[in-house]
Amino acid sequence: MLVAADVYRPAAIDQLTILGKKVGVPVYSEGTEAKPSEIAKNGLKEAKSKKTDVVIVDTAGRLQVDKAMMNELKEVKKAVKPTEILLVVDAMTGQEAAALVGAFNVEIGITGAILTKLDGDSRGGAALSIKEVSGKPIKFIGRGERVEDLEPFYPDRMAQRILGMGDVLSFVEQAQQVMNQEDAEELQKKIMSAKFNFNDFLKQTKAIAQMGSFSRIIGMIPGMNKVTPAQIREAEKNVKFMESMINVMTAGMYNLHS
């Protein structure tokens, strides 16, 4: 269950409700007038009554250590006694992210961090410093806006990406999630026997899209770190154009071209 305890940011509760429906998870909310600690407490009670085994309480974001909001977090912590307290930080802020994690740990006592926006220009410098400065581990990283873009953090894989060596293990794991072994083998046979057609091509492009953005996928392939954002955008545009061309073909045109 998700508990909507961010009563400050406009539309925060609505956004969480939409996310909950998308992933099939119930969302508990009481509007914006109730105290976050009371919402969290009542949400946990509701979750227990429904025998829910995992509860995630979403609280308001903080860009700096604010005494009033820190006290509010302490009240939430006291109300629900959480197993994990995770601070979400923006990778684009660099060293500031590490300092923020350290400050929150002193004030609240966090168990780890979630590092977001690693799909941008940041190459993970914040990831290298968070553990050293704060003493707290990074538990998850976000590489995009979708739920699928949230993944467990592996330090060795991050080091390989920073060095431009790619991340083959993560690439294989992502591929396995969107295509099973039988489909992959069937596709391989079609390619080897020159029977690979436009339908197969569309399946491939849709599978790649499910793996995440082009920039994310390219970042996992060794030797591809020199590809520029402009080249990636051009490639994405070209793929969409080809998909559109295939989708408007009639059966006769399709047979001719395949």
Side-chain angles (χ1 to χ4, degrees), residues 3 7 12 32 37 67 78 83 85 119 128 144-145 154 176 184 190-192 196 206 210 219 225 229 240-241:
V3 177
V7 298
T32 58
S37 57
K67 189 172 181 180
K78 185 178 179 181
T83 307
I85 302 177
D119 59 324
L128 294 176
E145 297 294 325
Y154 299 102
Q176 287 175 334
K190 284 191 171 186
I191 293 172
M192 296 298 288
F196 183 87
K206 288 176 182 177
Q210 286 180 294
N225 58 310
K240 287 179 181 177
F241 178 75

Side-chain angles (χ1 to χ4, degrees), residues 3-241:
V3 177
D6 181 354
V7 298
Y8 303 105
R9 187 168 60 85
I13 296 173
D14 292 338
Q15 287 177 347
L16 196 66
T17 301
I18 292 169
L19 175 63
K21 288 180 179 178
K22 184 177 179 181
V23 298
V25 174
V27 177
Y28 179 86
S29 66
E30 294 183 12
T32 58
E33 299 302 318
K35 287 179 61 177
S37 57
E38 285 299 311
I39 296 172
K41 184 179 179 180
N42 294 337
L44 182 61
K45 185 178 179 181
E46 175 78 4
K48 287 181 177 178
S49 71
K50 294 185 176 180
K51 301 189 185 303
T52 303
D53 56 355
V54 176
V55 179
I56 299 175
V57 180
D58 176 41
T59 57
R62 292 150 176 83
L63 295 176
Q64 62 276 325
V65 179
D66 177 280
K67 189 172 181 180
M69 297 190 90
M70 286 297 157
N71 288 334
E72 181 183 277
L73 278 180
K74 289 174 183 177
E75 290 176 4
V76 172
K77 179 181 177 181
K78 185 178 179 181
V80 298
K81 298 178 177 59
T83 307
E84 296 269 6
I85 302 177
L86 302 177
L87 177 67
V88 181
V89 290
D90 187 337
M92 302 296 285
T93 58
Q95 296 298 322
E96 291 179 24
L100 191 64
V101 173
F104 268 80
N105 184 48
V106 171
E107 288 286 330
I108 307 299
I110 64 174
T111 58
I114 297 175
L115 197 60
T116 65
K117 296 186 182 176
L118 277 172
D119 59 324
D121 295 330
S122 169
R123 294 182 63 80
L128 294 176
S129 55
I130 282 178
K131 179 74 165 97
E132 183 67 26
V133 173
S134 69
K136 295 299 175 180
I138 299 170
K139 301 275 181 114
F140 294 91
I141 55 174
R143 296 191 173 278
E145 297 294 325
R146 306 183 307 174
V147 176
E148 295 83 0
D149 295 328
L150 185 68
E151 60 187 57
F153 175 69
Y154 299 102
D156 54 338
R157 300 184 188 183
M158 174 61 70
Q160 289 176 345
R161 292 186 191 186
I162 292 173
L163 293 172
M165 297 165 61
D167 182 358
V168 177
L169 285 176
S170 292
F171 184 84
V172 171
E173 288 172 1
Q174 291 293 320
Q176 287 175 334
Q177 288 178 16
V178 300
M179 180 172 285
N180 59 44
Q181 184 72 24
E182 291 77 15
D183 287 344
E185 289 176 356
E186 180 64 26
L187 198 60
Q188 183 181 15
K189 288 178 182 176
K190 284 191 171 186
I191 293 172
M192 296 298 288
S193 61
K195 292 181 179 178
F196 183 87
N197 59 35
F198 286 148
N199 271 338
D200 299 317
F201 177 79
L202 286 178
K203 285 181 182 178
Q204 283 288 83
T205 57
K206 288 176 182 177
I208 291 171
Q210 286 180 294
M211 290 176 65
S213 65
F214 268 35
S215 59
R216 180 189 181 198
I217 296 169
I218 287 174
M220 292 187 283
I221 302 174
M224 296 291 283
N225 58 310
K226 293 182 180 179
V227 178
T228 66
Q231 289 174 318
I232 292 172
R233 287 193 296 271
E234 184 64 23
E236 288 178 324
K237 190 169 87 173
N238 289 337
V239 168
K240 287 179 181 177
F241 178 75

